[in-house]
Amino acid sequence: MKTDYIEFKKQRELGDILSDTFAFLRAEFKPFFTTFFKIVGPFLLVMILALAAYLYFVGNMANIMMFDSGNEAASFATIFIVGLVYILSIMAVYTMSQSTVLHYIKSYSNGKGTTDFETIQKEVYGSFWNFIGLGIMVGLSVMVGFIFCFIPGIYLYVPLALSFSILVFNRMGASDAYSYSFTLVKDEWWMTFATFFVLGIIVAIASFVFKLPIVIYQWFKMGIISGEVDAEGTLDMFKDPVYILLNIVGTIGQFLLNLISVIAGVFIYFNLNEKKNFTGTYERIENLGKTSD
């Protein structure tokens, strides 16, 4: 066992969940991100290229609508295709990233601090469609909850956010993981909500750092800072390499910050699982018995 090994399978308070999340990232920074980018990197590259193309063609479309209306149909078709590729790449990236994080932690926990890249990669690709199916179920449920009334959306989000951890660590199918998430959070909803809420504030504040340069540059290009609004500069902004680069950096930064929520969600899952099933406690008892033998 590694000297800086962090045990996931135990009960934790809110402060411990937050501190251990960052402790895990510090201890596993190099192996974690090496594994992560080996698996998710190609999908992330496609997403970045699609984002750059989308921003460029949106800016080009704005110019065509004002100065060359004859090419509107072709431009709309291009934006639709590029936008579709961008949306699909986002879905693939977030699916692969969440699956990679969860399977990395699973390998880390099973290996007591050591991981096996081949196993992680195999399990990530093998569970891709289960993650897609569960993601659609969770997304539609939460969306409907927010549409009909804001409070049901929040209520549904709390347990369903843990369903992906259940899918991996309980080895359940998508529908079973969806259903069991409500059982897991039963009697612990408020504590789970409070943890996600505090975590959300931390991630939101950190995300603002990546959004601020984009906003400042937008104001600069639009002439808001100088007090002279430039309509042509506003249209050209979407094709501006600096603006596109800032958006790419901001998107990657916010994307990586989302990993903090995924890791913290695993700690939340194991905390609730220990309270209900004592899985980690039983494993430690068994290991003590083996050690004494």
Side-chain angles (χ1 to χ4, degrees):
M1 182 187 298
K2 293 173 64 176
T3 56
D4 56 355
Y5 172 68
I6 297 174
E7 177 61 70
F8 276 84
K9 299 177 182 179
K10 69 176 187 179
Q11 295 185 35
R12 286 177 168 84
E13 299 299 329
L14 171 59
D16 296 325
I17 290 174
L18 296 176
S19 61
D20 284 349
T21 297
F22 292 102
F24 174 77
L25 280 171
R26 284 195 302 271
E28 289 293 303
F29 187 87
K30 184 176 180 180
F32 173 76
F33 281 106
T34 299
T35 299
F36 181 83
F37 283 113
K38 279 184 178 179
I39 297 175
V40 184
F43 298 88
L44 184 60
L45 179 61
V46 172
M47 187 186 80
I48 291 170
L49 293 175
L51 171 61
Y54 180 75
L55 290 172
Y56 178 83
F57 283 115
V58 165
N60 193 50
M61 179 65 194
N63 282 302
I64 288 175
M65 290 179 67
M66 292 192 65
F67 306 113
D68 187 10
S69 58
N71 290 326
E72 285 185 8
S75 297
F76 272 120
T78 301
I79 290 177
F80 175 79
I81 295 172
V82 173
L84 181 61
V85 172
Y86 180 48
I87 292 172
L88 292 176
S89 66
I90 290 175
M91 291 177 60
V93 165
Y94 275 88
T95 298
M96 294 295 290
S97 64
Q98 187 166 38
S99 180
T100 300
V101 172
L102 295 178
H103 283 102
Y104 182 94
I105 294 175
K106 178 183 176 183
S107 180
Y108 172 89
S109 184
N110 291 340
K112 299 300 180 183
T114 60
T115 59
D116 178 39
F117 174 78
E118 298 297 332
T119 300
I120 295 170
Q121 185 179 46
K122 179 181 178 181
E123 291 183 344
V124 167
Y125 283 106
S127 61
F128 179 81
W129 291 111
N130 272 336
F131 268 83
I132 289 290
L134 182 57
I136 292 173
M137 293 167 62
V138 170
L140 288 176
S141 298
V142 174
M143 183 176 65
V144 170
F146 277 114
I147 288 175
F148 284 98
C149 188
F150 191 75
I151 294 177
I154 297 176
Y155 173 79
L156 289 171
Y157 172 80
V158 172
L160 292 179
L162 300 175
S163 60
F164 297 94
S165 292
I166 295 171
L167 180 73
V168 172
F169 298 106
N170 285 38
R171 298 179 182 178
M172 290 184 175
S175 59
D176 291 333
Y178 180 98
S179 301
Y180 183 69
S181 64
F182 295 95
T183 303
L184 183 67
V185 176
K186 186 179 180 182
D187 301 325
E188 297 287 343
W189 189 92
W190 281 108
M191 183 60 188
T192 307
F193 168 76
T195 307
F196 276 124
F197 182 75
V198 173
L199 185 67
I201 293 175
I202 295 173
V203 173
I205 293 174
S207 296
F208 182 73
V209 175
F210 292 98
K211 293 179 182 178
L212 188 59
I214 301 173
V215 174
I216 293 174
Y217 192 74
Q218 283 179 322
W219 290 351
F220 175 77
K221 290 291 290 184
M222 293 172 66
I224 294 177
I225 294 178
S226 63
E228 300 179 357
V229 178
D230 181 8
E232 186 175 349
T234 302
L235 294 175
D236 291 337
M237 178 176 59
F238 291 97
K239 297 191 295 181
D240 188 332
V242 176
Y243 177 77
I244 293 174
L245 179 62
L246 287 174
N247 271 275
I248 290 173
V249 173
T251 300
I252 295 174
Q254 293 176 59
F255 165 73
L256 293 178
L257 283 173
N258 182 64
L259 302 182
I260 297 174
S261 301
V262 179
I263 296 170
V266 177
F267 281 111
I268 296 170
Y269 159 78
F270 277 114
N271 173 55
L272 298 176
N273 188 58
E274 284 304 303
K275 289 182 178 180
K276 291 185 179 296
N277 303 315
F278 305 101
T279 305
T281 303
Y282 290 141
E283 285 185 5
R284 285 189 287 273
I285 293 173
E286 290 178 2
N287 289 333
L288 285 174
K290 291 177 182 178
T291 302
S292 62
D293 290 343

